[in-house]
Amino acid sequence: MYSVKMSLIIAFAIGAFISSALLVAEPLTDFAFLSLEWPGITAAYFFWGAVGGSTFLGVAICWGVNALTYGLGAFVILSAFKALR
């Protein structure tokens, strides 16, 4: 059985993978999946000015927030599957 710590690690790895895939697919699909990145884009927009307007830092904030968002969603799904067992 997985512990909660292992479930969190797996969920955040899934979230990081989804966030990376969205970041890479964005220019290749002519921004078709942009609506899936709104949590990260919103956070980057709000904090971008606070950190001095660095583009690299804005992309990093966007990636991190999306990874957390999709990771928490994956954690809920993994927890539900664990509870159903």
Side-chain angles (χ1 to χ4, degrees), residues 6-82:
M6 185 57 95
S7 293
L8 274 172
I9 291 170
I10 292 170
F12 287 135
I14 291 169
F17 176 74
I18 291 172
S19 183
S20 297
L22 288 173
L23 193 64
V24 169
E26 184 179 276
L28 299 174
T29 60
D30 201 24
F31 304 100
F33 298 117
L34 193 59
S35 63
L36 296 175
E37 292 188 45
W38 278 118
I41 290 172
T42 303
Y45 179 74
F46 283 128
F47 293 109
W48 198 6
V51 296
S54 168
T55 304
F56 179 75
L57 196 52
V59 171
I61 290 171
C62 181
W63 180 84
V65 170
N66 283 333
L68 284 174
T69 302
Y70 290 117
L72 290 175
F75 178 71
V76 168
I77 292 170
L78 286 174
S79 297
F81 281 141
K82 187 177 176 182

